[in-house]
Amino acid sequence: MQNRLINWFKFSSPATFYPLARRLAPIFWAIAIVLVAIGLYMSFFVAPVDYKQGDGYRIIFIHVPASWMSMFIYLVMAGWSAIGLIFNTRLSFMMSQALAPTGALFAFISLWTGSFWGKPMWGTWWVWDARITSELILLFLYLGYMALVAAIDDRRRADRAGAILLLVGVVNIPIIYFSVKWWNTLHQGATIKMNGQTSMDETMLLTMLIMALGFWAYSIAAAMVRVQSIILEREAGSTWAQELIGERA
Amino acid sequence: MKARHKRLALVIAGLIILGVATALVLNALQGNLNYFFSPTEVAEHKAPEDHVFRLGGMVEKGSVQRKEGELAVRFVVTDYHKQVPVVYEGILPDLFAEGQGVIAQGKLAPDGTFVADEVLAKHDENYMPPEVAEAMSAGEKARLQATTVGN
């Protein structure tokens, strides 16, 4: 037990995590490219048309995985922030910062594809219902977090302020998820339900899950690339980083 | 107590307080966060009678009436309990059909008709190929027939 704990903590140091991130990034890029390629092919050519929405529903294969990722990445960032606040580990805050732009990207894609889907099906680009509004708040939380961290010069203060913002904003995640259940919304209810029942054709579901896994791999790959720059930038004064830069130059 | 246990307790306590506060706020806002009123709520006078609100429900089967050469369309919105007649002049979304979900924005006329100035389609969370949908509705019909015969 003692050994396993020590092994995990070893990677909480930026100096040991840096080479790991460098090794992981290309692996996850490869997984992401393969899965998204398969997923997109299935989205357009394999999944059957919908009985009501025809081909228009196919945007779901981007919309739903992107929405899931936007919520999940926020939870992961909040988790890293809590660990960072409690254990005072620098790397945790760096991970939060490395994930933020990807989360914001997915929140934006979710709103954008939703809008493009809403116009032909519902008859409107945008409505202020509970689901759509809370997802917009999520996008603002991401942008606000990035702006806050960038605005404070003292790194330790920036980390803590950002972490508290992330933890406060975490209440928004259950609101997004359950909004369609708690209130009357224009947005329909969840297709993939918590109790394991799914109101979707199997091929469609499989396609959506492949896309979701592809987005996962992309998120990890992007975070691993970004965290390397953040580590190097912050640890530029340390001996190991100097040696590494010297080696490359 | 170590410093990190204190911080852990602080974070957990903070999240709990925040969660309770949010739950209370949402509870207090309850009705105001609803995007639309159902026909039952309209019948119970819960919907505002003198200004614009949204009405949501299903378009009752066989209720859609169009007049030749006019854009105006009349239909009945139901929640399988109460009904509200709706009149609308304009372009309907593609998914608008009898038996489909719909959200209309407008005002109640003195005679109880809802005069809509915008109609949006609300679809459900079911996605399936047309063959499956047909097979399912055939199965449903067979089941209904079986029950009526049984009675």
Side-chain angles (χ1 to χ4, degrees):
Chain A
M1 195 64 203
Q2 195 64 25
N3 271 331
R4 274 174 65 197
L5 275 177
I6 287 166
N7 273 334
W8 279 110
F9 274 113
K10 196 179 100 185
F11 287 110
S12 68
S13 145
T16 46
F17 189 75
Y18 181 85
L20 179 71
R22 213 161 127 192
R23 250 182 298 138
L24 287 178
I27 300 173
F28 281 99
W29 276 124
I31 297 175
I33 291 168
V34 170
L35 284 178
V36 171
I38 297 174
L40 281 177
Y41 176 79
M42 287 180 74
S43 309
F44 284 110
F45 304 110
V46 180
V49 293
D50 180 57
Y51 74 119
K52 227 175 256 170
Q53 303 188 29
D55 280 318
Y57 90 98
R58 289 180 198 277
I59 204 161
I60 198 175
F61 298 123
I62 306 239
H63 178 74
V64 172
S67 312
W68 282 345
M69 283 317 292
S70 70
M71 292 190 278
F72 182 71
I73 289 178
Y74 193 91
L75 286 180
V76 173
M77 284 167 64
W80 278 122
S81 294
I83 292 172
L85 281 180
I86 295 161
F87 294 101
N88 259 335
T89 43
R90 282 169 302 159
L91 184 67
S92 316
F93 298 119
M94 297 184 200
M95 284 304 292
S96 288
Q97 279 162 42
L99 280 164
T102 310
L105 175 73
F106 280 128
F108 177 75
I109 291 177
S110 161
L111 290 165
W112 187 38
T113 54
S115 182
F116 270 57
W117 196 3
K119 185 62 188 169
M121 296 307 161
W122 296 340
T124 180
W125 297 105
W126 184 265
V127 291
W128 292 101
D129 87 347
R131 171 55 75 77
I132 301 167
T133 309
S134 52
E135 180 75 19
L136 182 69
I137 292 172
L138 180 68
L139 175 64
F140 290 160
L141 277 171
Y142 277 122
L143 298 179
Y145 167 78
M146 289 191 282
L148 180 69
V149 170
I152 303 174
D153 284 333
D154 182 339
R155 280 286 152 84
R156 284 173 59 84
R157 274 170 169 270
D159 284 346
R160 292 222 189 115
I164 289 166
L165 174 69
L166 283 175
L167 285 173
V168 170
V170 93
V171 290
N172 190 37
I173 300 295
I175 294 179
I176 299 178
Y177 189 82
F178 292 109
S179 55
V180 288
K181 218 175 181 179
W182 290 342
W183 304 294
N184 296 333
T185 53
L186 177 60
H187 197 287
Q188 68 282 5
T191 296
I192 317 287
K193 292 173 192 75
M194 283 267 195
N195 58 19
Q197 277 190 324
T198 305
S199 38
M200 196 180 206
D201 173 72
E202 269 175 35
T203 320
M204 295 176 183
L205 179 68
L206 181 69
T207 310
M208 209 159 89
L209 292 180
I210 290 174
M211 285 299 281
L213 286 176
F215 282 13
W216 263 63
Y218 165 76
S219 307
I220 297 173
M224 287 303 156
V225 169
R226 224 173 271 125
V227 81
Q228 289 177 52
S229 330
I230 296 173
I231 291 176
L232 271 195
E233 199 187 330
R234 289 208 184 181
E235 308 284 305
S238 69
T239 336
W240 76 268
Q242 288 294 339
E243 276 169 11
L244 191 90
I245 297 163
E247 264 171 42
R248 286 210 202 152
Chain B
M1 219 179 182
K2 281 190 200 159
R4 80 160 167 255
H5 292 152
K6 255 186 210 162
R7 292 194 294 262
L8 175 67
L10 209 67
V11 167
I12 291 173
L15 282 178
I16 290 172
I17 292 170
L18 201 69
V20 171
T22 315
L24 288 174
V25 169
L26 291 181
N27 200 35
L29 285 172
Q30 200 41 252
N32 295 324
L33 287 171
N34 282 327
Y35 191 66
F36 58 84
F37 292 93
S38 69
T40 305
E41 285 167 327
V42 173
E44 286 167 356
H45 302 282
K46 279 186 186 156
E49 280 167 15
D50 48 349
H51 60 92
V52 174
F53 69 96
R54 291 187 207 88
L55 168 74
M58 292 292 185
V59 180
E60 193 159 59
K61 283 193 176 143
S63 74
V64 178
Q65 294 171 10
R66 281 193 179 87
K67 267 194 200 144
E68 201 73 33
E70 264 182 52
L71 263 181
V73 54
R74 293 179 162 273
F75 54 91
V76 174
V77 169
T78 176
D79 55 2
Y80 304 118
H81 182 59
K82 295 277 187 208
Q83 284 84 23
V84 176
V86 179
V87 57
Y88 172 65
E89 198 166 311
I91 297 159
L92 290 163
D94 287 356
L95 280 186
F96 180 90
E98 289 177 359
Q100 267 289 314
V102 77
I103 292 177
Q105 181 175 303
K107 246 169 136 172
L108 272 181
D111 66 343
T113 309
F114 189 80
V115 184
D117 44 45
E118 186 188 36
V119 172
L120 301 179
K122 177 172 163 64
H123 62 80
D124 57 22
E125 68 275 23
N126 299 312
Y127 301 93
M128 54 186 143
E131 312 87 77
V132 178
E134 268 166 40
M136 273 176 70
S137 65
E140 179 73 6
K141 264 184 205 150
R143 193 183 62 82
L144 282 176
Q145 265 170 4
T147 43
T148 24
V149 168
N151 287 340

